[in-house]
Amino acid sequence: MLRPDLRVLVMSATLDTDPLARMLDNAPVITSEGRAFPVEVIYRPPPVRAGRPPRLADQVAAVIREALATDTGSLLVFLPGAGEIRQVERLIRDDLPAGANLAPLYGNLRSDEQDRAIQPAPDGQRKIVLATAIAETSLTIEGVRMVIDAGQARRAVFDANSGMTRLVTGRVSRAAAEQRKGRAGRVEPGVCYRLWRESDHQGLPAFTPPEILEADLAPLALELAQWGALKPTDLDWLDPPPTAHWNQAVELLQWLDLLNPDGTIADHGSNARALGIHPRLAHMVLKGRELGYPLTAARLAALLGERDLLGRGAGADITYRLQALDGAYRVPNPDRNRLDAIRRATTRLLPEPNTQDVDATLPAGRLLALAYPDRIGRRRPGDGNRYQLSNGRGARLADEDTLGQQPWIVAADLDGQAREAGIYLAAATDRATLEQDLAGHIESADEALWDDNRGTVVARRVTRLGAQVLDEKALPEPGPEHLIQGLITAVRNKGIDSLPWTEAVRQWQARVSMMGSLEADWPEVSEHALLTTVEQWLAPFLAGVRNWKGLQQINLMEALQSLLSWDQQQALKQALPTALEIPTGQQVRLDYTTENGPVLAAKLQALFGWTDSPRLASGRIPVVIHLLSPAQRPLAVTADLASFWREVYPEVRKEMRGRYPKHPWPEDPMTAEARMGTKKSGR
């Protein structure tokens, strides 16, 4: 133990205490209800008219009017975000009763407006606070005795694939709903309106998802590296971090030279961690000092650590925010508290008081590219304000944003949408600066591409910054390795179905999948798995293949069988044969691709004398038998042949012997001779 004398008290209003107590050696849990007055809960689900529920804002506005007309006191309304708050504000502003005042409350409001929402209403007046989840636990709002809970919350969710965080709107948890309800019973009995059905309440998730499952883990990974914990498995967790999020964080920290290739913290990483800000911004601040722009780097970090100083109406160019700090850009009705906070943060990030830049160029784009090398955007030719980012994603500036005229930008703040992210804050840069500052991350390589029009492979030499193509040059006749790479790319683009599948190969695939369900260590051969590993098993069989026509001539069965060892190939033949011998002595193919297979389909008379249904794989897999009429039409399906002969066959015999009199229909099929033909033709 680091501190045997230390005692830790963990406190929370909504924490799921059981897992934490178990992790802490069954630590005692003390529950305190606190001083609370009873709160009546009224459920007001949305009325459905013309087959659809109303807009959330309309529903909330209607319940606000109801609450104001039937109850006294101030009202706290929980909404998912600032957009919904503004909608509700517009709907109710003009028909409020006398003495009722509206007070929005969300994070991007000026501090004096936030203070007005928190303070008690003046004597003889009541207040309607329209708030996000910021009022759920972080703040106490005086005088509230009514709560309206819209039942939704907006939270930040990190996407490891894009390295960006997006806002997701979803239902609140039961714990959050109880916390919101409690806001109405702080000073006197209250009432809580919930805008969902009472029967739906238990269907809400019990708790809000742990932040570690949805957060950007780069700060955590850097902190743990400082302590020597290089892998998540080095620690015990209430909720282990997602592997994809952790790997993305480590890759980013190594890209920024904060971690060494082996995952240990670099000296640069230790210096960045000491600044106490996000690793991206810390890296930018340290590099900004080296480039001679310590003040601009510190200001950028301070600006990005706060909510946007100017708001969306000022456009995305972060240079305007830098100029606002100097007074060069006039901010109407500025938020003095936020300006002061940014200036204090700037001072803290300077190496020495009153440090200045080497010149007054405000190289915002150059510095942001150091912090966000994965968000460098190149304008798409002739495509308005749309950009291709160096992480491979698309992004877009607002149509009227003049920054969209720039060929190169760096996006510092985006909405994280998967298809095309909206850019909130960015700065212009240029290619020459990128090539100078990020030379260590620019790579050139020969690539093979598939030309679908020509049905062949073309090669090129490509220079990239991440996924951003800086230059490309066609190469002469592609070599053998380029041909294979291009053909593999074609298969990935066209899909695994584009390969020359045959019925025999499909049966092999189904048999291997069945073995994988019975035993460990068999390869997965689903179409997704085969496409993921296509280079492993297909590339060795592409030697000499130059085009798509040639690819269609390969022996796909031979290529796929390379996934199995020799022992597995023999085990497959023995456990799940392709055919079975029936009582007539004929070999009948088994169908493993049908649902509930394997299936053996044969004429009923050909199976006389078979008293038990066959089983495969040492008895673990029953064969489903499709019994056919003399006209090869289905008569019955069974996996229990003995039961069929005893219980079903007499009825089948009674019905079929008149229809097919030339074929045998013995009373005892278990002892009768199997035959394929009619009575006269024999076998």
Side-chain angles (χ1 to χ4, degrees), residues 553-565:
Q553 306 302 315
I554 67 166
N555 188 328
L556 184 59
M557 177 74 84
E558 185 179 354
L560 287 171
Q561 283 181 328
S562 68
L563 290 168
L564 304 183
S565 67

Side-chain angles (χ1 to χ4, degrees), residues 47-74:
V48 178
R49 296 189 179 93
R52 63 173 62 183
R55 284 192 319 158
L56 179 65
D58 293 325
Q59 184 193 4
V60 170
V63 178
I64 289 175
R65 296 185 188 103
E66 175 189 349
L68 291 174
T70 56
D71 286 290
T72 61
S74 291

Side-chain angles (χ1 to χ4, degrees), residues 188-248:
E188 59 180 310
V191 60
C192 174
Y193 294 83
R194 288 176 171 167
L195 305 192
W196 59 91
R197 289 186 294 269
E198 185 174 6
S199 59
D200 292 338
H201 186 70
Q202 289 304 313
L204 297 176
F207 296 94
T208 304
E211 184 180 358
I212 196 171
L213 302 183
E214 302 179 333
D216 177 0
L217 299 181
L220 175 64
L222 184 63
E223 184 71 26
L224 294 183
Q226 179 69 42
W227 284 77
L230 307 185
K231 305 183 299 295
T233 52
D234 291 340
L235 297 172
D236 294 328
W237 303 86
L238 278 173
D239 298 284
T243 301
H245 290 202
W246 180 269
N247 292 341
Q248 193 277 342

